[in-house]
Amino acid sequence: MTVSRRGLLRSAAAVVPAVVLGSVLPGTARAAGGADAAQPQWQLFPCPETSGTLGFNGLDFAPDGTGWAVGDHTTWGGFFEGSDTEPAAWRWDGTQWTRFAASAFGDCETLRSVSVGGRDDAWAVGSASDLTPRLLHWDGKAWTNRTAGLRSAVRPARVSGSGSGVWLVGTRGGGDFGPVVLRWNGAQWSEVALPSDVARNVSLSAVKAVAPDNVWVAGDIADGTGSASVRKPLVLHWDGGGWTRLPSPAGAAAGAVQDVLVKGDDVWAAGYAGGVPLAARWDGRAWTATSPAVVKGAGITGLASYGAEVRATGYQLPPLQRWDGRAWSTATPPFAYVSGTAVLATGPDGSLWMAGRGGTSGTDSDNYTIARLPAGA
């Protein structure tokens, strides 16, 4: 009998207990407002990794203060062996982060998103090595595969919600290619039909489930045909009985929405448009579009609330951007240099969380860290 390299890695991981990341290390605090010690300080929770690379794809917290960070871990076996990818996940119990063994997620290869309802209720979505979907539920003791009954061609992207109100967006592959929206009713997944004008040529990459009658999904849609076709930002709202398509947050510009934030009565959509970052606020009547920095080729991938402000992260931008109600500016991140993209989330106590790969410079970017900025904005 032959055993694959990945199988050996999984077998080894199965006998390794979860790793506790401990408390904040001395000397790892960083002032949110620069050198002013009176400002809230970033608290760093390093995620040591001695082999391969880590990628953070999702971060979320429940009202009770528990949280999960998910992503993937990739190792390289040499020029002729290629690479192996397995899920990576960390659980916050209110005091410390604990890393879970990859074997806890069965044959799942990567985790793309997580939604946390409580210490015994969390959902993570991803895929196996053959790209078939994996929808996993945490019951406080173990992760269970809840993919049964779902078509193998579904490619999940994001998940949001808890209890019997969990929503998922992604892509349906195969001969019936197009966007897909799924809803968990406490017992099974069912597809929620989209309006006919967005049932095709749409990519969905963001979802935010606030209540059964208040769900937001977003992405981009093809406008035009043939060589004249361009992709434009798309935002849809579910009111419990049907969908409403909002005007594009970028007007006629090409682009896409990559994250959605519901903050009070406002809804934020962020991504890119016209070749620059896009952040737009919907007040119930119209969009007000802004741009954190006019950097060609840059975009926003994550939004989070911090007090009265909004924080954003993305690619080809300073690691953390701040909206103070009037304008965007660069905020102090937990690490000066970020390699790749980071993820953001807001804790139930108002704290800001950020997970990513960073350091003090471009040559010191292999520090994988989950960081917390206490409430205080």
Side-chain angles (χ1 to χ4, degrees), residues 39-110:
Q39 296 291 326
Q41 304 282 304
W42 280 103
Q43 300 165 341
L44 307 187
F45 298 83
C47 304
E49 180 53 56
T50 58
S51 63
T53 60
L54 291 174
F56 293 97
N57 298 328
L59 179 65
D60 193 40
F61 293 87
D64 65 10
T66 56
W68 284 87
V70 302
D72 46 57
H73 172 224
T74 301
T75 56
W76 287 267
F79 182 80
F80 295 104
E81 296 183 45
S83 63
D84 286 292
T85 300
E86 61 185 12
W90 300 258
R91 181 174 183 267
W92 174 255
D93 64 5
T95 303
Q96 61 190 12
W97 288 96
T98 301
R99 183 172 178 179
F100 275 57
S103 58
F105 302 91
D107 64 350
C108 185
E109 183 178 70
T110 183

Side-chain angles (χ1 to χ4, degrees), residues 115 121 123 159-168 182-186 189 208-212 215:
S115 184
D121 180 26
W123 286 89
V159 64
S160 178
S162 61
S164 59
V166 182
W167 290 69
L168 178 153
L182 300 174
R183 177 173 53 186
W184 174 260
N185 64 7
W189 290 98
K208 187 65 64 178
V210 181
V215 180

Side-chain angles (χ1 to χ4, degrees), residues 200-226:
R200 297 280 182 176
N201 299 318
V202 167
S203 175
L204 297 177
S205 54
V207 57
K208 187 65 64 178
V210 181
D213 59 353
N214 189 12
V215 180
W216 298 82
V217 303
D220 58 88
I221 183 171
D223 183 16
T225 59

Side-chain angles (χ1 to χ4, degrees), residues 22-314:
S23 302
V24 181
L25 298 181
T28 59
R30 181 178 174 87
D36 186 355
Q39 296 291 326
Q41 304 282 304
W42 280 103
Q43 300 165 341
L44 307 187
F45 298 83
C47 304
E49 180 53 56
T50 58
S51 63
T53 60
L54 291 174
F56 293 97
N57 298 328
L59 179 65
D60 193 40
F61 293 87
D64 65 10
T66 56
W68 284 87
V70 302
D72 46 57
H73 172 224
T74 301
T75 56
W76 287 267
F79 182 80
F80 295 104
E81 296 183 45
S83 63
D84 286 292
T85 300
E86 61 185 12
W90 300 258
R91 181 174 183 267
W92 174 255
D93 64 5
T95 303
Q96 61 190 12
W97 288 96
T98 301
R99 183 172 178 179
F100 275 57
S103 58
F105 302 91
D107 64 350
C108 185
E109 183 178 70
T110 183
L111 296 171
R112 296 191 183 93
S113 178
V114 66
S115 184
V116 188
R119 62 183 62 254
D120 59 356
D121 180 26
W123 286 89
V125 301
S127 61
S129 59
D130 61 359
L131 300 182
T132 54
R134 292 295 180 268
L135 279 54
L136 306 164
H137 180 253
W138 169 258
D139 62 5
K141 297 180 180 179
W143 286 95
T144 303
N145 190 343
R146 297 291 182 86
T147 313
L150 193 66
R151 285 186 287 182
S152 62
V154 170
R155 305 289 182 261
R158 294 284 187 92
V159 64
S160 178
S162 61
S164 59
V166 182
W167 290 69
L168 178 153
V169 299
T171 302
R172 181 176 52 247
D176 192 24
F177 182 81
V180 64
V181 178
L182 300 174
R183 177 173 53 186
W184 174 260
N185 64 7
Q188 63 183 10
W189 290 98
S190 60
E191 187 167 346
V192 181
L194 289 165
S196 58
D197 61 335
V198 297
R200 297 280 182 176
N201 299 318
V202 167
S203 175
L204 297 177
S205 54
V207 57
K208 187 65 64 178
V210 181
D213 59 353
N214 189 12
V215 180
W216 298 82
V217 303
D220 58 88
I221 183 171
D223 183 16
T225 59
S227 60
S229 176
V230 296
R231 303 200 70 85
K232 295 183 178 180
L234 173 71
V235 179
L236 299 169
H237 179 248
W238 173 264
D239 63 5
W243 294 102
T244 298
R245 180 179 175 180
L246 277 65
S248 170
V257 175
Q258 299 179 126
D259 199 17
V260 174
L261 170 69
V262 179
K263 183 175 175 63
D265 294 330
D266 293 338
V267 177
W268 285 79
Y272 61 91
V276 298
L278 168 72
R281 185 178 73 252
W282 175 259
D283 62 7
R285 299 180 303 274
W287 290 103
T288 301
T290 62
S291 180
V294 183
V295 180
K296 286 292 185 180
I300 298 172
T301 55
L303 293 170
S305 176
Y306 183 57
E309 301 178 351
V310 173
R311 300 296 170 96
T313 189

